[in-house]
PDB file of all heavy atoms in Angstrom:
ATOM      1  N   ILE A 147      64.758  61.998  44.585  1.00 96.00           N
ATOM      2  CA  ILE A 147      63.510  62.698  44.839  1.00 96.00           C
ATOM      3  C   ILE A 147      63.750  64.087  45.415  1.00 96.00           C
ATOM      4  O   ILE A 147      63.269  65.086  44.940  1.00 96.00           O
ATOM      5  CB  ILE A 147      62.638  61.867  45.819  1.00 96.00           C
ATOM      6  CG1 ILE A 147      62.207  60.536  45.144  1.00 96.00           C
ATOM      7  CG2 ILE A 147      61.417  62.669  46.262  1.00 96.00           C
ATOM      8  CD1 ILE A 147      61.621  59.535  46.118  1.00 96.00           C
ATOM      9  N   LEU A 148      64.574  64.125  46.486  1.00 97.00           N
ATOM     10  CA  LEU A 148      64.665  65.361  47.290  1.00 97.00           C
ATOM     11  C   LEU A 148      65.425  66.491  46.564  1.00 97.00           C
ATOM     12  O   LEU A 148      65.208  67.651  46.846  1.00 97.00           O
ATOM     13  CB  LEU A 148      65.361  65.026  48.623  1.00 97.00           C
ATOM     14  CG  LEU A 148      64.606  64.018  49.498  1.00 97.00           C
ATOM     15  CD1 LEU A 148      65.397  63.720  50.749  1.00 97.00           C
ATOM     16  CD2 LEU A 148      63.213  64.552  49.840  1.00 97.00           C
ATOM     17  N   LEU A 149      66.298  66.127  45.628  1.00 98.00           N
ATOM     18  CA  LEU A 149      67.011  67.160  44.860  1.00 98.00           C
ATOM     19  C   LEU A 149      66.085  68.114  44.145  1.00 98.00           C
ATOM     20  O   LEU A 149      66.400  69.293  43.998  1.00 98.00           O
ATOM     21  CB  LEU A 149      67.949  66.504  43.825  1.00 98.00           C
ATOM     22  CG  LEU A 149      69.287  65.962  44.306  1.00 98.00           C
ATOM     23  CD1 LEU A 149      69.934  65.155  43.221  1.00 98.00           C
ATOM     24  CD2 LEU A 149      70.200  67.107  44.754  1.00 98.00           C
ATOM     25  N   TYR A 150      64.920  67.636  43.702  1.00 97.00           N
ATOM     26  CA  TYR A 150      64.066  68.433  42.845  1.00 97.00           C
ATOM     27  C   TYR A 150      62.859  69.018  43.574  1.00 97.00           C
ATOM     28  O   TYR A 150      62.010  69.655  42.938  1.00 97.00           O
ATOM     29  CB  TYR A 150      63.623  67.584  41.630  1.00 97.00           C
ATOM     30  CG  TYR A 150      64.853  67.150  40.842  1.00 97.00           C
ATOM     31  CD1 TYR A 150      65.403  65.892  41.043  1.00 97.00           C
ATOM     32  CD2 TYR A 150      65.503  68.018  39.985  1.00 97.00           C
ATOM     33  CE1 TYR A 150      66.570  65.503  40.390  1.00 97.00           C
ATOM     34  CE2 TYR A 150      66.642  67.647  39.317  1.00 97.00           C
ATOM     35  CZ  TYR A 150      67.171  66.394  39.515  1.00 97.00           C
ATOM     36  OH  TYR A 150      68.309  66.001  38.912  1.00 97.00           O
ATOM     37  N   LYS A 151      62.822  68.802  44.899  1.00 96.00           N
ATOM     38  CA  LYS A 151      61.732  69.347  45.730  1.00 96.00           C
ATOM     39  C   LYS A 151      60.340  69.119  45.126  1.00 96.00           C
ATOM     40  O   LYS A 151      59.544  70.094  45.002  1.00 96.00           O
ATOM     41  CB  LYS A 151      61.987  70.825  45.997  1.00 96.00           C
ATOM     42  CG  LYS A 151      63.287  71.105  46.757  1.00 96.00           C
ATOM     43  CD  LYS A 151      63.403  72.560  47.161  1.00 96.00           C
ATOM     44  CE  LYS A 151      64.626  72.759  48.042  1.00 96.00           C
ATOM     45  NZ  LYS A 151      64.785  74.160  48.500  1.00 96.00           N
ATOM     46  N   PRO A 152      60.064  67.886  44.711  1.00 96.00           N
ATOM     47  CA  PRO A 152      58.732  67.650  44.101  1.00 96.00           C
ATOM     48  C   PRO A 152      57.632  67.688  45.170  1.00 96.00           C
ATOM     49  O   PRO A 152      57.851  67.343  46.333  1.00 96.00           O
ATOM     50  CB  PRO A 152      58.871  66.259  43.515  1.00 96.00           C
ATOM     51  CG  PRO A 152      59.850  65.590  44.426  1.00 96.00           C
ATOM     52  CD  PRO A 152      60.827  66.655  44.803  1.00 96.00           C
ATOM     53  N   ASP A 153      56.459  68.096  44.736  1.00 95.00           N
ATOM     54  CA  ASP A 153      55.290  68.028  45.601  1.00 95.00           C
ATOM     55  C   ASP A 153      54.758  66.622  45.658  1.00 95.00           C
ATOM     56  O   ASP A 153      54.250  66.169  46.686  1.00 95.00           O
ATOM     57  CB  ASP A 153      54.204  68.990  45.088  1.00 95.00           C
ATOM     58  CG  ASP A 153      54.658  70.432  45.096  1.00 95.00           C
ATOM     59  OD1 ASP A 153      54.783  71.000  46.198  1.00 95.00           O
ATOM     60  OD2 ASP A 153      54.952  70.962  44.007  1.00 95.00           O
ATOM     61  N   PHE A 154      54.862  65.907  44.494  1.00 94.00           N
ATOM     62  CA  PHE A 154      54.319  64.548  44.400  1.00 94.00           C
ATOM     63  C   PHE A 154      55.310  63.618  43.725  1.00 94.00           C
ATOM     64  O   PHE A 154      56.098  64.018  42.859  1.00 94.00           O
ATOM     65  CB  PHE A 154      53.022  64.523  43.581  1.00 94.00           C
ATOM     66  CG  PHE A 154      51.935  65.386  44.151  1.00 94.00           C
ATOM     67  CD1 PHE A 154      51.578  66.600  43.557  1.00 94.00           C
ATOM     68  CD2 PHE A 154      51.233  64.994  45.274  1.00 94.00           C
ATOM     69  CE1 PHE A 154      50.581  67.393  44.061  1.00 94.00           C
ATOM     70  CE2 PHE A 154      50.222  65.786  45.801  1.00 94.00           C
ATOM     71  CZ  PHE A 154      49.885  66.982  45.214  1.00 94.00           C
ATOM     72  N   VAL A 155      55.244  62.345  44.120  1.00 93.00           N
ATOM     73  CA  VAL A 155      56.009  61.266  43.474  1.00 93.00           C
ATOM     74  C   VAL A 155      55.059  60.140  43.175  1.00 93.00           C
ATOM     75  O   VAL A 155      54.465  59.552  44.097  1.00 93.00           O
ATOM     76  CB  VAL A 155      57.169  60.768  44.396  1.00 93.00           C
ATOM     77  CG1 VAL A 155      57.905  59.627  43.693  1.00 93.00           C
ATOM     78  CG2 VAL A 155      58.121  61.890  44.747  1.00 93.00           C
ATOM     79  N   PRO A 156      54.854  59.815  41.882  1.00 88.00           N
ATOM     80  CA  PRO A 156      53.995  58.678  41.550  1.00 88.00           C
ATOM     81  C   PRO A 156      54.584  57.399  42.081  1.00 88.00           C
ATOM     82  O   PRO A 156      55.788  57.120  41.825  1.00 88.00           O
ATOM     83  CB  PRO A 156      53.965  58.688  40.025  1.00 88.00           C
ATOM     84  CG  PRO A 156      54.398  60.071  39.622  1.00 88.00           C
ATOM     85  CD  PRO A 156      55.357  60.517  40.696  1.00 88.00           C
ATOM     86  N   VAL A 157      53.846  56.616  42.806  1.00 79.00           N
ATOM     87  CA  VAL A 157      54.361  55.364  43.369  1.00 79.00           C
ATOM     88  C   VAL A 157      53.345  54.251  43.244  1.00 79.00           C
ATOM     89  O   VAL A 157      52.123  54.461  43.310  1.00 79.00           O
ATOM     90  CB  VAL A 157      54.710  55.498  44.862  1.00 79.00           C
ATOM     91  CG1 VAL A 157      55.949  56.358  45.053  1.00 79.00           C
ATOM     92  CG2 VAL A 157      53.554  56.053  45.663  1.00 79.00           C
ATOM     93  N   GLY A 158      53.856  53.044  43.000  1.00 70.00           N
ATOM     94  CA  GLY A 158      53.055  51.835  43.108  1.00 70.00           C
ATOM     95  C   GLY A 158      53.262  51.221  44.460  1.00 70.00           C
ATOM     96  O   GLY A 158      54.061  51.707  45.266  1.00 70.00           O
ATOM     97  N   ALA A 159      52.574  50.113  44.701  1.00 61.00           N
ATOM     98  CA  ALA A 159      52.660  49.462  46.007  1.00 61.00           C
ATOM     99  C   ALA A 159      54.081  49.032  46.327  1.00 61.00           C
ATOM    100  O   ALA A 159      54.506  49.080  47.493  1.00 61.00           O
ATOM    101  CB  ALA A 159      51.706  48.265  46.018  1.00 61.00           C
ATOM    102  N   ASP A 160      54.855  48.649  45.296  1.00 64.00           N
ATOM    103  CA  ASP A 160      56.205  48.122  45.514  1.00 64.00           C
ATOM    104  C   ASP A 160      57.221  49.220  45.827  1.00 64.00           C
ATOM    105  O   ASP A 160      58.322  48.943  46.291  1.00 64.00           O
ATOM    106  CB  ASP A 160      56.683  47.283  44.348  1.00 64.00           C
ATOM    107  CG  ASP A 160      56.667  48.054  43.035  1.00 64.00           C
ATOM    108  OD1 ASP A 160      55.960  49.059  42.952  1.00 64.00           O
ATOM    109  OD2 ASP A 160      57.340  47.633  42.067  1.00 64.00           O
TER     110      ASP A 160
END
Side-chain angles (χ1 to χ4, degrees):
I147 295 167
L148 299 177
L149 279 170
Y150 300 97
K151 298 188 174 182
D153 298 288
F154 300 107
V155 178
V157 289
D160 57 340

